[in-house]
Amino acid sequence: MNRAQSEALFAEALKYIPGGVNSPVRAFRAVGGQPFFVNHAGGCKLQDVDGNELIDYVLTWGPAILGHAHPKIIAAVKAAADHGTSFGIPNPFEVTMAKMICELVPSVRKVRMTNSGTEACMSAIRLARGFTKRDKIIKFDGCYHGHADSLLVRAGSGALTFGNPDSAGVPAAFTQHTIVLPYNDFEAVTAAFAANQDQIAGIIIEPVPGNAGLYLPKPGYLEFLREITASHGSLLIFDEVMTGFRLAKGGAQERFKITPDLSTFGKVIGGGLPVGAFGGRAEIMDYLAPLGPVYQAGTLSGNPLAMAAGIANLQELLATDAYAKLEQLGAQLAAGMRDAAKSAGVPVQFNQCGSMFCGYFTDQPVHNLADAMHSDRERFKRYFHGLLDSGVYLAPSQFEAGFLSTAHTATDIEKTVSAAAKVLRTL
Ligand SMILES: *Cc1c(COP(=O)(O)O)cnc(C)c1O
């Protein structure tokens, strides 16, 4: 595969951008080699600057649930742009968006928009602390809630990929109120509440963690977290930046029938523009300025282009039979991949939930970060490059979830599975 133009651009990028990228996993350090540059994407395909076409399972890390450059989203953004790119005073799209979120996610009675998932999580934590008048937060090993200081402790995604889940530059004092526990471990949570009576503001969790690959909550685990937080006057915060509007129209909370106090969103809700949101019970949300004492703001929050893109994305998801299709594609991919691994004799745990998936190279089930770390990462590297050379793009790290869109077809999945079957036999 010719990648001359990508190589030239990357050499230039390295001179001016740290590591040549604006977000670390994109640099391909976890898999070796160099990133390719893209100047066009449509449907489930990316086209790099050298003209190579790839079936994309990264989907700009989740947002492109309808595939890339969906005509309705592009039209909505163009139409909005004709009227101005930002006003700094309320615009009608903000009301439409807020109303849609509240209707789709019943636990959310009021919602505020941000510019990223990081901001949404950072603000939700501040709000939980302000509302409960408590300082401590429980988070889980390998869960990623963006790169705000107090949450960058044993975090997933790039932080984990590069072996620094605890970032330099975060004073210990900033994270001393963050309690980090293993995911899916009931006992650890009970013990933490016993040891920190009346001090825990809340638990923040990815209900289906997708930033250390992908694993699912054990039966009863999310129910247990709902109950223990409620009984201690703590808040349950679902970080649905990845799962929101993806695992169901109402997110993981609809799929698993749990009602959190606060939720955070991003990715799908922005339709590929920079957006985040956090929302929940009205009396908690009313603690935010200007009504309450918890400060939170944003020059571009509720930006009309971003709102227009997000609204178009959500409307199209609702108008089509999107979720049924995504479930079908996910099941097809999982069945195909498990078969391919089995016939190649390679031990793989292929975890899948709706349109999210991850294959780990281990013969042991993966329920948390410690299990995920058993995956053979050297094998993953060879697998990743084998697939890339066959025209299939997976996230360039073992510790990222893969995504499907409604633009993928059964034929795309078949092609992917047969490419994977070939590569697996060479591992
Ligand atoms: C992507 C992600 C974030 C951070 O969102 P950004 O928009 O990258 O700041 C937070 N939480 C989860 C679960 C995510 O997947």
Side-chain angles (χ1 to χ4, degrees):
M1 207 174 265
N2 176 17
R3 298 196 181 107
Q5 307 239 24
S6 278
E7 279 163 26
L9 275 167
F10 193 56
E12 192 77 348
L14 283 170
K15 291 186 204 160
Y16 305 108
I17 308 174
V21 291
N22 282 311
S23 195
V25 182
R26 296 180 201 167
F28 274 37
R29 290 290 176 100
V31 289
Q34 297 194 345
F36 54 89
F37 281 65
V38 169
N39 55 9
H40 178 78
C44 72
K45 308 264 170 61
L46 290 176
Q47 205 181 84
D48 72 12
V49 290
D50 291 289
N52 303 304
E53 202 175 73
L54 299 161
I55 303 179
D56 183 19
Y57 292 97
V58 182
L59 296 174
T60 188
W61 305 92
I65 194 167
L66 301 174
H68 294 283
H70 190 281
K72 296 231 168 117
I73 297 181
I74 303 302
V77 173
K78 282 182 177 162
D82 279 340
H83 296 280
T85 54
S86 176
F87 309 126
I89 193 83
N91 69 69
F93 290 125
E94 295 171 88
V95 187
T96 306
M97 174 62 103
K99 199 172 161 194
M100 282 188 90
I101 297 172
C102 292
E103 281 171 5
L104 290 170
V105 189
S107 74
V108 175
R109 303 323 314 143
K110 288 193 178 177
V111 60
R112 185 164 279 175
M113 305 307 297
T114 63
N115 300 291
S116 67
T118 295
E119 280 179 59
C121 294
M122 177 185 87
S123 304
I125 293 292
R126 183 181 303 147
L127 179 58
R129 286 173 162 156
F131 181 76
T132 58
K133 302 184 176 60
R134 298 175 180 180
D135 289 339
K136 296 200 170 165
I137 290 288
I138 292 177
K139 83 170 277 292
F140 297 94
D141 247 352
C143 281
Y144 179 66
H145 306 294
H147 60 278
D149 282 338
S150 73
L151 293 169
L152 211 48
V153 198
R154 305 216 320 247
S157 192
L160 176 61
T161 298
F162 300 115
N164 48 356
D166 305 283
S167 171
V170 178
F174 288 19
T175 58
Q176 68 178 4
H177 298 303
T178 309
I179 300 167
V180 189
L181 303 177
Y183 186 86
N184 265 332
D185 181 336
F186 293 64
E187 271 306 298
V189 175
T190 308
F193 273 98
N196 297 279
Q197 287 288 346
D198 301 329
Q199 295 176 67
I200 297 175
I203 291 181
I204 184 163
I205 186 168
E206 292 182 68
V208 179
N211 280 289
L214 182 81
Y215 34 80
L216 278 80
K218 285 186 174 163
Y221 184 62
L222 297 175
E223 290 81 352
F224 158 76
L225 296 179
R226 176 61 286 183
E227 200 176 300
I228 196 165
T229 42
S231 69
H232 286 84
S234 305
L235 303 184
L236 180 61
I237 307 167
F238 268 15
D239 178 351
E240 297 230 43
V241 170
M242 188 183 281
T243 53
F245 314 100
R246 174 168 283 283
L247 290 186
K249 67 180 170 31
Q253 53 194 276
E254 175 183 318
R255 196 173 178 111
F256 292 92
K257 301 186 176 65
I258 306 288
T259 307
D261 300 295
L262 291 174
S263 302
T264 60
F265 303 100
K267 300 194 169 116
V268 169
I269 208 189
L273 271 80
V275 178
F278 64 107
R281 282 162 48 194
E283 74 273 28
I284 304 176
M285 291 305 289
D286 285 346
Y287 248 65
L288 285 174
L291 296 180
V294 174
Y295 194 71
Q296 186 276 338
T299 300
L300 296 177
S301 295
N303 175 270
L305 302 195
M307 296 302 97
I311 291 164
N313 205 18
L314 295 181
Q315 279 173 343
E316 186 66 10
L317 279 169
L318 296 176
T320 54
D321 210 3
Y323 295 100
K325 174 161 194 209
L326 291 167
E327 291 298 318
Q328 244 172 32
L329 292 171
Q332 185 194 348
L333 183 70
M337 288 301 201
R338 285 174 190 140
D339 270 2
K342 207 168 157 195
S343 36
V346 177
V348 170
Q349 301 297 315
F350 196 87
N351 289 354
Q352 176 250 339
C353 184
S355 57
M356 294 167 65
F357 65 88
C358 178
Y360 296 98
F361 290 99
T362 168
D363 54 8
Q364 297 300 311
V366 177
H367 298 297
N368 59 27
L369 178 61
D371 297 339
M373 297 306 283
H374 290 141
S375 184
D376 181 343
R377 278 184 267 169
E378 289 306 313
R379 221 168 205 175
F380 177 81
K381 284 186 197 178
R382 296 195 298 273
Y383 177 67
F384 169 84
H385 281 292
L387 278 181
L388 190 62
D389 292 339
S390 337
V392 175
Y393 179 49
L394 291 179
S397 162
Q398 172 70 83
F399 302 119
E400 301 287 350
F403 299 103
L404 289 157
S405 73
T406 55
H408 287 83
T409 63
T411 312
D412 293 313
I413 307 286
E414 277 163 30
K415 276 190 201 158
T416 302
V417 168
S418 75
K422 273 199 199 119
V423 175
L424 283 164
R425 283 198 288 273
T426 68
L427 299 182

